[in-house]
Amino acid sequence: MPSNLSSDVIIVGTGVVGCLIAEQALDAGFSVLMLEAGPRVSRDTIVENYRNLPPRLRNHWNAPYPPKPWAPHLETRTESEGASYLDLIGPNAKAYEQGYVRYAGGATWHWAGICWRMTPDDLRLKSLYGVGRDWAFSYDVLEPYYARAEHAMGVCGPRDPALQWPPNTTRSRPYPMGPIPFGPGEQRLTDVAATIGMQNLPAPQARNSGVSFDGRPPCCGNNNCFPVCPIAAKYDAATALPRIEAKGGKIITNAVAYRVETNSQKKIEAIHYFDPNKTSHSVSGKIFVLACNGIETPKLLLLSANEKNPHGVANSSDQVGRNMMDQPKLVADVEMTEPLWTGVGPVQSSSIMNTSQGDFRRDYAGAMFRMENMARSTLGGLAALEKGLYGKALDQEIRRLSACTARLTVEHEPLPLSFNRLTLSDKKDWLGLSRPRIYYDVGDYVRRSATQYTVPLLKKLAIALGATDIKISPEFLHSDHIMGGTIMGNDPVDSVVDADCRAHDHDNLFLPGGGAMTTGGSGNSTITMAALAIKAADAIVGQLNHG
Amino acid sequence: MRSPCTKLKINRRRLLLGMSALATAASFAQSRGLAESSGPPSLTDPVSHFMFVSRVLVPHELDRSVGHRIHGAFSDVEEDFDNKIKELQDLIIKTSPVDVEHFMPTLTDIKQKNTAMKIISAWYSGVVNGKSKDHTIGFESSLMYKVTNDVMTIPSYAKSAPNGWNSTAVSLLNMPSF
């Protein structure tokens, strides 16, 4: 039977952005209702799904998360699965195979936990280098929200300012926990990188270091941050959901939002959603937050087009769905004579960031370099078996291939380019809703960087590590950092949301998260998304308090 | 760590005991060590035959319960699997190989060699590949993880106490015993 529930704050999406806003609104005394398209699944179920995968599928991070028919997401185990949801086109379509899951808790289930802040220069690309856009505010405005986000999520990081990022800036609060120790692989990378002028920094990461934090245990080096931390030492939004309910928040799962309804005063009145029986329901409220990630949020706005909003809700600028960004990634699989030994500690725990900054950004993109620290024993084992070995030779080859190989990656900063655009596909999903169609071209700024800057540097780093064989990916890949589709700016003519992630067109609609990011930088996007969520939450609470 | 010589002696002893057990019922009583560790290789128990062959093909401690699952999966996906095991077993008894390195070159029949390699692969990878789907047999019991378990974490299992690991790199030559 159709229902019509009401709440002060309606939030679509239960990932990190939705959860941070929900808690802040609840703490301020307002009622909160959250809609989640996918199911709510326990951690042990996901861990069991992972362990029951055949080993060749264990590197497909979405494989332990089978989607429900009504809430599809990208799957990558086969080519046909890969084409079954996202309708990707353009010269770099493969670089937009975004790996988010539509489960309660969102993509935080299988994020790496890495929390690089953007730098002051990252927010002023247009002013400094004549490319991209400037943000609506400076780093000084964002810094306190970064600090609050680090404490809300439990981010550990180095105490030594020389090892902190961004350099030469002031932090308003220290990290709540000290750094996580390096294993042999990351220490070796750090030592080698230093010999060629590359500084491998211990990553700030939302992982409990040495102590419990926020009711979650300390990291015990399970080396499985993606696809799932088995002990919840890494922040994931799933751990916030019971707390939100304990504070009075209501969460409706398997509720696929498909229309945002506006009234004649251009206010949002309701969100309509389908349940798994294809029955339509609606929820009404005072403030509405769409936080269902950088693809689903613009898709929902475009799906809501009608006579009052002919181009979609919040889209008088025609910028909804444009400027889609991610850091185009290249990987180098290297083989060495000496053992490196990844697989000790978290799957990612460090990155080279000083390569992301500099005057060269007038001409080409900056980039972050890092090494995957996942245990390579699955890959080594399967590769050695493929060779038809047995006995002692098999054991020796598994050990060699596991210890003496590595994957280096370089992630390039993207520019907001209006032609990189999400539209509605004529292909429909199980509910009959249009699937997202995304055109993606990494652009000349990134291509020039790869040719002139990053690939030569990647090879130099690999050789310094003692590589005897280097295989670089032939095309750009995705980093799973979805940004730009509801871009922020001060001018309603060329942007979707204001500095608080409030839609220019509708003052009770907030679109926080990656979609609001004006530029992408080279680092992982989550901590910036979280900072924007907290800034938006301040505005939401303020707006509710003042009627 | 046990020396390679010791391991070889054990393998030979097991092999001889296994052959003896298959040869006469009376020898079951004399081979209590093998019987206790892996079950008596009775003529009517296909898993015992499978374990007997596996112990020649894979020079490590093998868990019979894992072997039971591997045997069950192969029986589902391989036609006439027990007869293939019987052929390998007969060959082992006939050639008395001291280890897998000596046994594999005696497999001139490509089908027998394929069966042997599939069994080795199943113990190491924890999966039996079927025509329409893969049968996952085990995870942490997969031998490929034990080869590096002195350093590398078995993914999703704890490495140590909180922050208890360090950056010490060990030699490739320090092969764990398992």
Side-chain angles (χ1 to χ4, degrees):
Chain A
M1 179 182 291
S3 62
N4 186 350
L5 297 171
S6 185
S7 188
D8 291 328
V9 182
I10 303 292
I11 300 173
V12 183
T14 57
V16 58
V17 171
C19 285
L20 287 172
I21 293 173
E23 280 210 75
Q24 199 167 324
L26 288 163
D27 290 344
F30 298 104
S31 59
V32 171
L33 190 156
M34 305 179 84
L35 299 178
E36 167 54 52
R40 190 165 174 181
V41 177
S42 66
R43 186 175 309 277
D44 63 293
T45 299
I46 298 169
V47 173
E48 283 306 303
N49 286 351
Y50 167 72
R51 289 178 180 168
N52 282 314
L53 289 170
R56 66 184 171 80
L57 295 181
R58 286 181 197 149
N59 288 337
H60 289 258
W61 313 129
N62 46 44
Y65 302 87
K68 295 294 182 188
W70 51 89
H73 54 241
L74 179 80
E75 297 177 272
T76 58
R77 292 176 299 184
T78 63
E79 287 290 326
S80 61
E81 270 188 354
S84 66
Y85 181 52
L86 297 181
D87 183 9
L88 302 172
I89 56 173
N92 298 108
K94 193 154 186 68
Y96 227 78
E97 288 184 343
Q98 301 295 353
Y100 60 101
V101 296
R102 293 171 83 184
Y103 271 43
T108 58
W109 273 113
H110 65 8
W111 74 308
I114 302 300
C115 290
W116 295 113
R117 293 180 175 194
M118 295 182 79
T119 71
D121 288 1
D122 290 342
L123 307 187
R124 299 178 62 223
L125 280 188
K126 187 71 176 176
S127 299
L128 290 173
Y129 307 121
V131 297
R133 297 185 181 206
D134 285 349
W135 282 55
F137 44 70
S138 69
Y139 180 83
D140 291 342
V141 173
L142 195 55
E143 198 285 332
Y145 298 103
Y146 271 137
R148 284 168 64 184
E150 287 162 355
H151 282 256
M153 298 166 70
V155 176
C156 69
R159 296 187 180 87
D160 179 357
L163 298 177
Q164 292 175 346
W165 189 263
N168 308 315
T169 55
T170 303
R171 295 177 55 84
S172 55
R173 295 176 77 181
Y175 292 113
M177 290 167 279
I180 282 183
F182 281 170
E186 293 200 293
Q187 187 58 55
R188 171 99 181 279
L189 176 73
T190 305
D191 297 342
V192 166
T195 66
I196 57 172
M198 300 171 84
Q199 186 185 22
N200 191 44
L201 294 174
Q205 45 197 300
R207 230 180 308 278
N208 292 346
S209 173
V211 294
S212 298
F213 184 89
D214 205 21
R216 295 180 289 111
C219 176
C220 290
N222 300 58
N223 197 247
N224 210 64
C225 320
F226 44 80
V228 59
C229 175
I231 62 172
K234 178 193 75 178
Y235 171 88
D236 54 50
T239 59
L241 298 177
R243 201 168 53 227
I244 287 168
E245 289 172 316
K247 291 177 178 180
K250 183 170 176 56
I251 301 164
I252 304 176
T253 55
N254 300 309
V256 183
Y258 69 92
R259 186 156 62 89
V260 180
E261 182 185 331
T262 61
N263 65 18
S264 55
Q265 283 78 48
K266 299 183 78 173
K267 286 189 177 291
I268 310 301
E269 286 230 318
I271 302 280
H272 297 261
Y273 70 91
F274 284 124
D275 69 17
N277 297 318
K278 303 187 182 180
T279 302
S280 183
H281 308 264
S282 66
V283 289
S284 55
K286 296 173 183 167
I287 296 283
F288 294 81
V289 179
L290 305 189
C292 39
N293 99 22
I295 286 177
E296 298 301 325
T297 294
K299 185 188 93 174
L300 176 55
L301 293 170
L302 296 176
L303 279 173
S304 304
N306 58 14
E307 300 88 27
K308 283 182 281 187
N309 307 284
H311 302 293
V313 167
N315 198 21
S316 64
S317 63
D318 192 34
Q319 294 295 302
V320 168
R322 294 187 183 272
N323 309 298
M324 298 298 287
M325 293 184 281
D326 182 20
Q327 284 95 7
K329 179 166 76 174
L330 292 173
V331 304
D333 288 317
V334 300
E335 196 166 318
M336 296 150 286
T337 50
E338 294 297 316
L340 187 72
W341 289 120
T342 60
V344 180
V347 297
Q348 286 179 19
S349 208
S350 65
S351 297
I352 295 165
M353 298 300 291
N354 60 342
T355 46
S356 69
Q357 307 293 303
D359 282 343
F360 63 84
R361 294 164 89 187
R362 292 180 194 285
D363 302 316
Y364 50 78
M368 170 181 77
F369 291 73
R370 62 178 167 77
M371 181 188 69
E372 301 286 3
N373 192 44
M374 65 174 201
R376 298 182 65 81
S377 35
T378 307
L379 295 169
L382 295 182
L385 285 167
E386 194 72 23
K387 294 182 176 183
L389 300 172
Y390 48 82
K392 292 182 186 64
L394 175 60
D395 290 349
Q396 287 163 2
E397 187 65 352
I398 291 174
R399 195 164 166 87
R400 185 187 75 79
L401 288 174
S402 302
C404 301
T405 59
R407 170 165 283 189
L408 304 174
T409 76
V410 52
E411 298 181 20
H412 303 77
E413 75 173 320
L415 292 180
L417 302 169
S418 63
F419 54 74
N420 282 330
R421 186 177 186 191
L422 181 151
T423 54
L424 299 178
S425 172
D426 54 3
K427 298 168 185 164
K428 307 290 185 185
D429 68 13
W430 185 84
L431 284 169
L433 303 174
S434 292
R435 288 159 44 187
R437 178 174 233 225
I438 302 166
Y439 174 93
Y440 197 60
D441 175 355
V442 302
D444 290 339
Y445 189 66
V446 167
R447 274 189 285 271
R448 277 197 300 274
S449 179
T451 306
Q452 299 175 30
Y453 178 49
T454 61
V455 170
L457 204 46
L458 192 60
K459 289 178 180 169
K460 189 176 178 183
L461 179 61
I463 290 167
L465 274 170
T468 53
D469 185 46
I470 308 169
K471 290 186 178 67
I472 296 179
S473 53
E475 61 181 324
F476 288 101
L477 305 170
H478 49 99
S479 296
D480 297 338
H481 306 143
I482 310 165
M483 301 173 284
T486 52
I487 200 163
M488 177 194 292
N490 287 323
D491 188 347
V493 170
D494 66 1
S495 61
V496 179
V497 297
D498 67 14
D500 289 325
C501 296
R502 183 190 293 104
H504 288 303
D505 295 350
H506 314 280
D507 68 5
N508 68 336
L509 176 65
F510 287 78
L511 309 169
M517 290 173 66
T518 308
T519 57
S522 296
N524 311 52
S525 58
T526 302
I527 193 66
T528 303
M529 293 162 55
L532 293 178
I534 292 171
K535 191 172 190 300
D538 280 1
I540 290 167
V541 169
Q543 201 161 314
L544 286 168
N545 277 329
H546 295 96
Chain B
M1 194 198 306
R2 244 183 350 236
S3 75
C5 291
T6 312
K7 286 170 74 175
L8 181 60
K9 282 175 190 168
I10 288 172
N11 286 340
R12 295 186 70 174
R13 175 172 167 268
R14 284 193 170 160
L15 179 65
L16 292 169
L17 284 173
M19 290 165 62
S20 169
L22 287 167
T24 64
S27 64
F28 287 149
Q30 297 165 4
S31 57
R32 291 185 62 82
L34 181 66
E36 283 167 4
S37 65
S38 60
S42 108
L43 288 170
T44 56
D45 175 13
V47 176
S48 293
H49 293 288
F50 176 73
M51 291 303 293
F52 172 79
V53 170
S54 290
R55 289 201 172 91
V56 173
L57 295 175
V58 181
H60 297 294
E61 299 285 342
L62 301 182
D63 184 329
R64 184 181 165 88
S65 64
V66 175
H68 195 280
R69 294 201 294 276
I70 295 175
H71 175 268
F74 273 127
S75 299
D76 285 345
V77 303
E78 292 264 331
E79 221 170 278
D80 218 11
F81 182 66
D82 283 338
N83 272 337
K84 292 175 182 173
I85 290 296
K86 178 76 165 49
E87 285 178 23
L88 289 174
Q89 179 183 276
D90 290 347
L91 203 59
I92 290 167
I93 292 170
K94 183 178 164 191
T95 58
S96 301
V98 293
D99 54 30
V100 64
E101 280 84 0
H102 286 83
F103 178 60
M104 290 300 285
T106 67
L107 295 177
T108 52
D109 182 330
I110 189 69
K111 288 180 182 169
Q112 289 178 341
K113 188 167 185 182
N114 283 344
T115 301
M117 290 307 299
K118 284 180 185 177
I119 293 168
I120 292 169
S121 179
W123 281 105
Y124 273 84
S125 67
V127 70
V128 171
N129 302 118
K131 280 180 184 159
S132 58
K133 69 168 197 168
D134 296 330
H135 298 255
T136 304
I137 303 303
F139 182 82
E140 76 285 359
S141 58
S142 306
L143 298 182
M144 65 183 178
Y145 291 132
K146 298 188 187 298
V147 179
T148 57
N149 199 24
D150 56 328
V151 184
M152 277 182 179
T153 313
I154 299 176
S156 79
Y157 283 80
K159 176 66 183 169
S160 68
N163 289 359
W165 54 92
N166 59 48
S167 58
T168 304
V170 305
S171 167
L172 284 181
L173 299 176
N174 294 352
M175 182 68 76
S177 177
F178 56 93

